[in-house]
Amino acid sequence: MSSNDTSGGLARATTDFGTTPPPEYKGRERDEDRKTRRPLAFWDRVKILLLLLGAWGVLLWASMARNQLIPFQDALILNVRSNGWLLVLAGLEFLRQVHYLISERSARYHQFWVRRFEGIERRKSRMNDWNRFRLARALKLLFFLVILDLVLAQAFGLSPALALFQLPVVLFKAAPFILQLAFGLLFGVIQIFGIFYFLSRGGTDVYFPDDIKTRFSDVWGQDKVLERIQESMLFLDAPESIEQKGGYVPGGVLLWGPPGTGKTLMAEAVAGETGKPFVFVDPGAFINMFLGVGILKVKALFRKLRKLAVRYGGVIVFFDEADALGNRGALAGGNWGGQRMAGGPDMWSLTSSCNGMSYLSEDTASMLMRTHLEQSQQSERRPPVRDGIIMGGMGGGGMGTLQALLAELSGLKKPRGFVNRVVRRILGMRPKPPPKYRIFVMMATNMPQALDEALLRPGRLDRIYKVGYPSKAGRIRTYQGYLDKVRHELTDEEIDKLATITPYATGATIKDLVNEALINAIREGREVITWKDVIQAKQLKDLGPPEDVEYIERERHAVAVHEACHAVAAYRVRQHLTIDIATIEKGGTYLGMVSSIPPEDQFTRWRSEYEADITVSLASLAGEKIFFDDDNSSGVVGDLVSATSIATMMEGYWGMGSTIASHGVTHRVGIGGGGKPGKEDEEPDLLKGDLGERIEGKLQEIFDRTERLVRENRSEVLAVAHALESHKTVTGEDVEAIIEGREGPLIDGRAYRSKEFIRTAEDYHSQVVDAHKGHAAVKVPLPQLNGRRDLEPAVAFEDADAGPQD
């Protein structure tokens, strides 16, 4: 719609909605269009009147001071006679303000005087606005000096020509008293200022060019983000390349992602590569126990940044752990960006059980944790947690600190220098505008949801980059970079394999893994890292040091069978993940685990993959029932939680079940499985209870298949269980070698394919089951293979299941 169609558009809006359109905004009315005079502010109305009356009062006080014997009434009469001209001026000013007041109220009165002075106003409007302002200011200053001169002449008893020259003499004589008052005032101010000055120091480090040796070539595995950072540096070095074309230089970059992915290292590389000063801001720089200190720190920081930007043509400031700046929503009782788990699974739990989610991919495990968290929060009836907040922190940055930072990042910049800002104004000259401060802001955080929205808007942080887990190619490059710094015997194929079995490794974890492998080699008196050192280091980092406990024989065998069922089911049915580590060494929160990893980078999941995850989860329950005469342990609780959660999401939310509708929508409107809670006498909702039946049906269907799978692979389960009991921790490649009956990196799986071993394993298992039923000790020791490879010829497992069947 064009500008001429405004009325038509408003008319149509009125017709469509039946409401009166709002009046059109016309802006501020001009003086020449007003019918009355524009009202004056109260101070503008009385300031000259107060000046004249104040000057007359000073003269009255001076006359009484010279002649202390004269009564106040006589002094008042004499002062009216001698200085009545001031009262006359005050009376004229009073009449002028009365005239203005009537003009503000009466349009006819105002228009009468406007017509009388129309010629003067027309000639005055021909003058430049700036010249008219300076002339008016000069006349006001002259008027003030005249009044001051006349007052001083009466007070000193001198002629008006000499009165002003006598003022410096009087001030010089009174200087000691004035200095005493000023010193007393300044002493208190300096005490407070000194305390806050020293409190506002620190928290920032300035690195000048060539102080840091890190370069972009030292950052591995984040090539895409690094390219964008380098582009920003080019704009900072040559801002004209974009400003001459009508654009502007991006002023800030936020790097966010998991810890250890290289965010701080990138900032360090920027400091090493650029020819500009680099200012590092400590995460706790703005956290103080006194209100206002954080604001002073922000002001001091940006004062320093502006000086460096002018001197060096640009400056880079880096805020590490930017979530420490806080969030204004947190101060107002809003979202803190983080949540406390209430009643959900805890990594510090004292109850040991099978780690049912360790063999899942990371996205599946995190999904299950979120689902369990949401369910626990909905069922939690206790009042919300209100402790755990330190009053001095005030949400991280402190009261007003974040607001001060936001204002400095994109606020108005005042002219620089005392001469420019003050002297030029006194002389009637316009101050020079401030220069373009080339301040490039970098921030890093692994909690972006904790940042204030105003901080993330364009103009403050123009670019937001996720520094995620490096891809496999990035991991290979990172491993090569850190391994080149030490002596090693790893081949390119082994480095590729190492990158594959560490899918979520970051630069920090890779560096730590290589260092731990070097420590293993030095511990054994070597200086060269081998593949065995790397695998041992990986197991230590993944599982941590095991607890110094030993299972009794029957419990050790039960845990081994439990984990072997997970491992065999994972190998048989799950193709999107490969087994990384299987262990029965007791850790802080688990009795044993089978951990799986994705062999390739994958960003979508399919129904068949989730069903395979459920199969692996239920394999422990199926295996315990099969191998222990329909008995099972409490260690399957985590596996059942995992299986049920996945089945619930498949049937109710992901469209991977027997229906298409999303339970997330139907539950909100009260027609989903279970419906909304209500009174017993109310009529039940549609489809009530259907979701629970479908979930149980899905789990039962997969459980039946899992039972068949475990029965068909009984010998493989016993073989993997024996390896776990013998070695406690087995790599994924060795688990596959045992199941396939081939030689593995550390374990020869061919020995597990002999008929002799199968008979021995079944006999030992029978002894353990008998001991389990009677809670007795196992009478026979664990069979030992002793590395023999000269046993009977290998046979297929499916033909060797001659042991007892359940």
Side-chain angles (χ1 to χ4, degrees):
M1 182 187 298
S2 65
S3 58
N4 296 328
D5 296 334
T6 304
S7 58
L10 292 175
R12 284 192 293 272
T14 304
T15 303
D16 294 340
F17 299 100
T19 59
T20 303
E24 183 181 0
Y25 178 71
K26 299 180 180 179
R28 187 177 182 182
E29 190 176 7
R30 295 180 299 177
D31 288 339
E32 54 268 25
D33 297 333
R34 291 181 60 89
K35 300 300 182 181
T36 60
R37 180 180 175 85
R38 188 178 299 279
L40 282 176
F42 179 76
W43 171 249
D44 293 332
R45 194 181 298 280
V46 301
K47 60 183 179 181
I48 297 179
L49 186 61
L50 292 178
L51 174 64
L52 296 173
L53 293 178
W56 186 82
V58 170
L59 293 177
L60 174 62
W61 170 77
S63 63
M64 293 182 65
R66 287 195 302 267
N67 190 358
Q68 300 181 2
L69 299 178
I70 186 173
F72 174 76
Q73 185 175 2
D74 294 341
L76 183 63
I77 295 173
L78 291 175
N79 199 45
V80 169
R81 293 176 179 176
S82 60
N83 301 312
W85 58 274
L86 283 173
L87 297 178
V88 172
L89 292 178
L92 293 176
E93 173 63 18
F94 178 77
L95 293 176
R96 188 171 74 101
Q97 294 302 328
V98 171
H99 163 70
Y100 287 162
L101 185 62
I102 298 175
S103 296
E104 294 169 4
R105 300 294 190 273
S106 173
R108 180 179 300 179
Y109 182 84
H110 176 67
Q111 294 301 321
F112 171 80
W113 289 105
V114 166
R115 288 191 294 269
R116 295 296 179 273
F117 294 96
E118 185 176 1
I120 298 176
E121 292 293 334
R122 186 166 50 251
R123 286 190 294 272
K124 187 174 65 172
S125 61
R126 297 173 184 172
M127 187 181 301
N128 180 270
D129 291 340
W130 181 245
N131 293 333
R132 186 167 62 252
F133 166 73
R134 288 189 292 183
L135 179 60
R137 186 169 59 179
L139 292 176
K140 291 177 182 178
L141 180 60
L142 180 61
F143 175 75
F144 173 77
L145 291 176
V146 169
I147 297 298
L148 179 63
D149 181 55
L150 295 175
V151 171
L152 292 176
Q154 291 292 331
F156 296 150
L158 301 174
S159 64
L162 300 176
L164 283 179
F165 296 98
Q166 189 67 19
L167 182 61
V169 178
V170 176
L171 294 177
F172 181 77
K173 291 180 179 180
F177 179 71
I178 296 175
L179 290 177
Q180 287 180 358
L181 292 178
F183 179 78
L185 179 63
L186 290 177
F187 184 75
V189 173
I190 290 174
Q191 282 184 317
I192 300 176
F193 176 78
I195 294 174
F196 277 84
Y197 174 78
F198 285 107
L199 289 176
S200 63
R201 304 289 293 174
T204 59
D205 298 314
V206 181
Y207 299 90
F208 292 96
D210 299 329
D211 284 353
I212 297 179
K213 304 303 179 183
T214 307
R215 298 294 184 265
F216 286 139
S217 57
D218 298 324
V219 182
W220 308 311
Q222 301 290 351
D223 296 338
K224 294 298 183 182
V225 180
L226 198 61
E227 290 177 2
R228 297 298 185 181
I229 297 296
Q230 290 174 324
E231 181 183 73
S232 299
M233 294 304 99
L234 291 176
F235 286 145
L236 184 63
D237 290 335
E240 298 80 8
S241 61
I242 185 173
E243 290 178 343
Q244 291 178 352
K245 299 176 176 61
Y248 67 94
V249 178
V253 168
L254 173 66
L255 304 177
W256 70 276
T261 51
K263 300 182 291 296
T264 305
L265 183 63
M266 286 186 187
E268 187 177 344
V270 169
E273 287 280 358
T274 184
K276 304 294 189 294
F278 182 85
V279 180
F280 178 85
V281 181
D282 189 83
F286 302 130
I287 299 178
N288 298 276
M289 64 182 298
F290 296 110
L291 296 179
V293 176
I295 300 176
L296 293 178
K297 284 193 173 185
V298 172
K299 299 293 184 182
L301 170 64
F302 277 86
R303 191 180 304 115
K304 179 187 300 183
L305 292 176
R306 285 191 287 267
K307 290 181 180 179
L308 292 173
V310 172
R311 182 179 303 175
Y312 293 92
V315 65
I316 301 170
V317 57
F318 175 66
F319 294 83
D320 199 9
E321 304 298 339
D323 47 273
L325 297 173
N327 190 317
R328 292 175 298 173
L331 298 178
N335 183 22
W336 280 87
Q339 294 175 327
R340 177 178 297 186
M341 184 175 296
D346 187 3
M347 64 178 298
W348 309 114
S349 175
L350 300 178
T351 304
S352 299
S353 63
C354 171
N355 193 339
M357 289 188 291
S358 63
Y359 50 81
L360 300 177
S361 61
E362 181 169 331
D363 56 346
T364 303
S366 62
M367 179 275 298
L368 295 177
M369 292 293 290
R370 288 195 303 270
T371 303
H372 191 87
L373 174 62
E374 293 172 357
Q375 294 171 351
S376 64
Q377 287 178 337
Q378 292 174 1
S379 62
E380 186 66 31
R381 299 300 183 184
R382 292 176 295 178
V385 178
R386 298 188 183 276
D387 57 354
I389 300 174
I390 302 175
M391 285 301 296
M394 297 302 294
M399 183 69 73
T401 304
L402 180 59
Q403 288 87 335
L405 178 63
L406 296 175
E408 290 289 349
L409 287 176
S410 62
L412 297 176
K413 302 299 186 293
K414 63 181 180 180
R416 297 178 68 247
F418 176 80
V419 174
N420 186 34
R421 291 187 289 108
V422 179
V423 177
R424 290 178 64 91
R425 288 184 183 275
I426 294 176
L427 297 177
M429 303 170 63
R430 292 181 179 178
K432 295 180 180 179
K436 291 185 177 180
Y437 300 110
R438 309 295 184 185
I439 301 176
F440 186 74
V441 180
M442 296 185 66
M443 293 186 179
T445 180
N446 48 34
M447 297 177 59
Q449 70 276 12
L451 297 178
D452 194 277
E453 290 185 6
L455 187 64
L456 304 179
R457 74 159 177 83
R460 292 189 176 117
L461 294 177
D462 301 276
R463 296 184 170 190
I464 300 177
Y465 300 134
K466 179 182 179 181
V467 186
Y469 294 108
S471 62
K472 181 179 178 181
R475 296 195 296 274
I476 292 175
R477 176 67 187 93
T478 307
Y479 274 116
Q480 291 174 343
Y482 284 114
L483 287 172
D484 289 343
K485 298 181 178 182
V486 298
R487 297 179 61 187
H488 68 93
E489 295 179 350
L490 273 66
T491 64
D492 293 339
E493 291 77 11
E494 289 174 332
I495 295 177
D496 183 273
K497 183 187 301 183
L498 184 59
T500 301
I501 64 177
T502 54
Y504 300 104
T506 64
T509 57
I510 290 174
K511 180 180 180 180
D512 184 57
L513 179 62
V514 173
N515 187 69
E516 191 66 37
L518 179 62
I519 293 175
N520 289 339
I522 295 175
R523 187 183 296 116
E524 297 181 3
R526 294 180 284 105
E527 296 182 357
V528 180
I529 297 177
T530 63
W531 176 254
K532 180 181 178 182
D533 297 324
V534 174
I535 294 301
Q536 290 178 348
K538 181 179 182 301
Q539 292 177 358
L540 178 64
K541 294 301 178 182
D542 289 345
L543 305 179
E547 294 185 8
D548 188 17
V549 295
E550 289 291 338
Y551 296 114
I552 58 177
E553 290 85 352
R554 66 174 185 271
E555 188 175 23
R556 179 193 65 201
H557 183 72
V559 173
V561 170
H562 178 112
E563 302 303 335
C565 290
H566 282 316
V568 173
Y571 177 76
R572 292 300 187 194
V573 303
R574 188 159 58 187
Q575 306 301 322
H576 62 286
L577 297 175
T578 59
I579 300 174
D580 181 25
I581 291 177
T583 183
I584 61 169
E585 291 186 286
K586 186 178 183 302
T589 59
Y590 58 88
L591 299 178
M593 69 163 61
V594 176
S595 177
S596 298
I597 57 175
E600 56 190 2
D601 296 334
Q602 182 179 346
F603 304 101
T604 56
R605 297 294 306 276
W606 296 82
R607 182 181 63 184
S608 58
E609 296 173 354
Y610 285 119
E611 289 182 348
D613 287 340
I614 296 177
T615 299
V616 176
S617 297
L618 296 179
S620 58
L621 176 61
E624 288 186 1
K625 287 179 174 292
I626 291 173
F627 283 93
F628 291 92
D629 295 339
D630 206 32
D631 196 3
N632 68 277
S633 69
S634 62
V636 301
V637 58
D639 303 322
L640 296 182
V641 169
S642 301
T644 306
S645 299
I646 297 176
T648 300
M649 301 302 291
M650 293 177 65
E651 286 289 340
Y653 294 88
W654 294 338
M656 298 179 179
S658 56
T659 62
I660 300 176
S662 172
H663 178 66
V665 177
T666 58
H667 179 71
R668 285 196 297 269
V669 300
I671 61 173
K676 289 185 177 180
K679 298 180 181 179
E680 295 182 358
D681 55 351
E682 291 181 354
E683 192 167 329
D685 294 320
L686 299 176
L687 305 177
K688 188 170 184 178
D690 180 62
L691 178 62
E693 296 175 0
R694 289 188 281 124
I695 294 173
E696 181 64 27
K698 169 68 75 173
L699 291 175
Q700 187 62 50
E701 174 192 346
I702 298 178
F703 183 76
D704 294 339
R705 297 203 306 261
T706 305
E707 276 191 319
R708 292 194 297 270
L709 175 68
V710 174
R711 291 182 187 277
E712 293 170 357
N713 293 270
R714 179 186 180 90
S715 298
E716 287 94 330
V717 172
L718 291 177
V720 175
H722 182 274
L724 289 172
E725 290 187 82
S726 302
H727 302 277
K728 294 186 178 179
T729 299
V730 181
T731 66
E733 290 180 296
D734 287 321
V735 170
E736 295 177 2
I738 294 169
I739 297 175
E740 295 178 355
R742 57 176 174 80
E743 186 175 5
L746 303 178
I747 298 178
D748 189 355
R750 293 176 294 181
Y752 292 96
R753 299 292 293 268
S754 66
K755 292 182 179 181
E756 179 183 347
F757 167 76
I758 296 173
R759 287 194 297 269
T760 304
E762 289 287 0
D763 292 340
Y764 177 74
H765 175 68
S766 298
Q767 293 287 337
V768 173
V769 172
D770 293 339
H772 168 72
K773 292 178 179 178
H775 281 265
V778 181
K779 299 180 180 179
V780 296
L782 178 70
Q784 299 296 322
L785 291 180
N786 297 323
R788 293 174 57 192
R789 300 180 181 178
D790 55 347
L791 300 176
E792 297 180 19
V795 296
F797 272 136
E798 55 269 19
D799 297 333
D801 288 337
Q805 300 290 327
D806 295 292

